[in-house]
Amino acid sequence: MEKRSELYRGKAKTVYHTNDPNRLILEFRNDTSAFDGEKVEQLDDKGMVNNKFNHFIMAKLEEAGIPTQLDERLSDTESLVKKLDMIPVECVIRNVAAGSLVRRLGVEEGKELNPPTFEFFLKNDALHDPMVNEYHIQAFGWATAEQIEKMKALTFKVNEVLKALFADARLLLVDYKLEFGVFDGEIMLGDEFTPDGCRLWDAETREKLDKDRFRQGLGGVVEAYREVAKRLGVQLD
Ligand code: ADP
Ligand code: UDP
């Protein structure tokens, strides 16, 4: 597969065209951002860890019957993926209250949510990714009713698969964000699943092992990502 010109440089990944119009290369960079890109730092090895982590998780999800962008890992920091027509919303499931839910509703961090909650956010940094609902998504043509149902069903299925996978590694999957796109008329999971886009706590001590370490200036960010990878059995070296 030949890497061609840059299509898009995001906050954490760069997307490249390839010689195949239906495939893209995602390059995971060391850039780490928070607060809609207001805080940015380079963290050594984060791109490598996240690329390998993402490949491992997407392969597990494929095995469980969830269609994903996954093709193959090309190098330490690059993966070949299907070129999806991305739907500009983020799908968030929460098993435990944290982050913006705590700020928005004034609830206690760490409260178990039964049932787990589902939220849509519009992908728009300038507007700080506002929360939207199914009516907005249809009215503005971001996705059809059928696509919305599919994204919700797949996001819940991911929860079942990953809650169990992380629990086996003594980790609590607190919440996570997924992005979907369309390939050949089918909804597929795109973007990434890494500790940059989810919350993972040690099951016993509740130590944070995800991007909150960066957001909250706790230090040891990549060390925590490595610890999670090690517990899951992701081969990093
Ligand atoms: P952001 O755009 O939020 O700064 P990234 O740095 O992660 O985020 O950039 C990656 C971009 O690539 C995102 O806009 C994402 O929607 C897009 N993307 C991810 N996976 C795919 C895919 N398989 N096909 C097409 N676009 C993708
Ligand atoms: N998330 C993300 N990208 C975003 C917003 C949120 O990956 O642009 C993830 C975040 O890491 C967390 C979950 O989605 O795992 C829920 O995030 P929340 O709404 O609590 O927002 P935050 O306080 O993290 O900005």
Side-chain angles (χ1 to χ4, degrees):
M1 191 58 59
E2 234 180 85
K3 191 167 168 178
R4 296 264 168 95
S5 60
E6 187 178 305
L7 169 63
Y8 175 74
R9 186 180 165 90
K11 295 187 295 295
K13 302 192 288 302
T14 308
V15 185
Y16 295 91
H17 289 287
T18 69
N19 52 320
D20 180 341
N22 295 315
R23 294 290 182 278
L24 295 172
I25 291 174
L26 294 185
E27 182 202 357
F28 289 73
R29 306 195 314 270
N30 288 340
D31 298 85
T32 313
S33 74
F35 315 120
D36 303 312
E38 273 171 38
K39 174 175 176 174
V40 183
E41 272 174 40
Q42 313 278 313
L43 300 177
D44 282 353
D45 287 341
K46 198 206 63 158
M48 179 275 287
V49 172
N50 274 3
N51 184 41
K52 292 180 179 177
F53 194 101
N54 179 60
H55 187 267
F56 178 92
I57 296 287
M58 292 253 172
K60 291 283 181 200
L61 296 176
E62 281 280 344
E63 263 175 47
I66 294 156
T68 79
Q69 67 183 3
L70 179 77
D71 245 22
E72 59 176 315
R73 189 164 68 74
L74 297 174
S75 70
D76 274 2
T77 56
E78 297 164 308
S79 285
L80 186 67
V81 297
K82 294 186 184 71
K83 180 181 183 178
L84 311 185
D85 193 1
M86 296 304 287
I87 293 174
V89 298
E90 304 183 331
C91 300
V92 171
I93 279 190
R94 303 175 192 272
N95 295 305
V96 175
S100 72
L101 183 75
V102 167
R103 293 195 296 276
R104 194 167 0 107
L105 302 183
V107 295
E108 195 190 332
E109 183 182 75
K111 181 185 162 37
E112 192 192 332
L113 301 171
N114 187 14
T117 62
F118 183 98
E119 297 157 346
F120 284 116
F121 294 92
L122 177 66
K123 249 185 93 76
N124 186 323
D125 280 340
L127 298 177
H128 307 292
D129 292 352
M131 188 191 263
V132 291
N133 68 29
E134 298 169 27
Y135 289 89
H136 302 122
I137 296 174
Q138 283 184 70
F140 294 107
W142 297 319
T144 65
E146 198 188 331
Q147 290 173 331
I148 289 169
E149 282 317 305
K150 191 81 200 173
M151 288 193 287
K152 278 172 74 173
L154 288 172
T155 306
F156 276 105
K157 189 163 177 187
V158 166
N159 201 33
E160 290 319 303
V161 176
L162 295 188
K163 254 197 314 193
L165 185 81
F166 287 118
D168 285 346
R170 293 171 289 111
L171 294 164
L172 179 62
L173 178 59
V174 170
D175 58 31
Y176 58 92
K177 180 269 300 181
L178 301 180
E179 291 180 30
F180 293 90
V182 181
F183 184 80
D184 258 351
E186 193 190 355
I187 293 275
M188 285 190 187
L189 177 61
D191 203 47
E192 66 179 287
F193 192 105
T194 69
D196 271 0
C198 69
R199 290 193 169 89
L200 294 165
W201 294 352
D202 180 279
E204 280 113 64
T205 64
R206 299 214 150 192
E207 185 188 5
K208 293 178 168 138
L209 297 170
D210 55 63
K211 199 159 97 174
D212 270 349
R213 298 202 70 83
F214 176 72
R215 293 189 189 98
Q216 299 174 7
L218 301 174
V221 181
V222 178
E223 289 79 357
Y225 290 21
R226 281 183 179 276
E227 169 65 19
V228 171
K230 187 172 131 199
R231 290 198 200 178
L232 287 172
V234 182
Q235 196 73 41
L236 293 182
D237 308 300

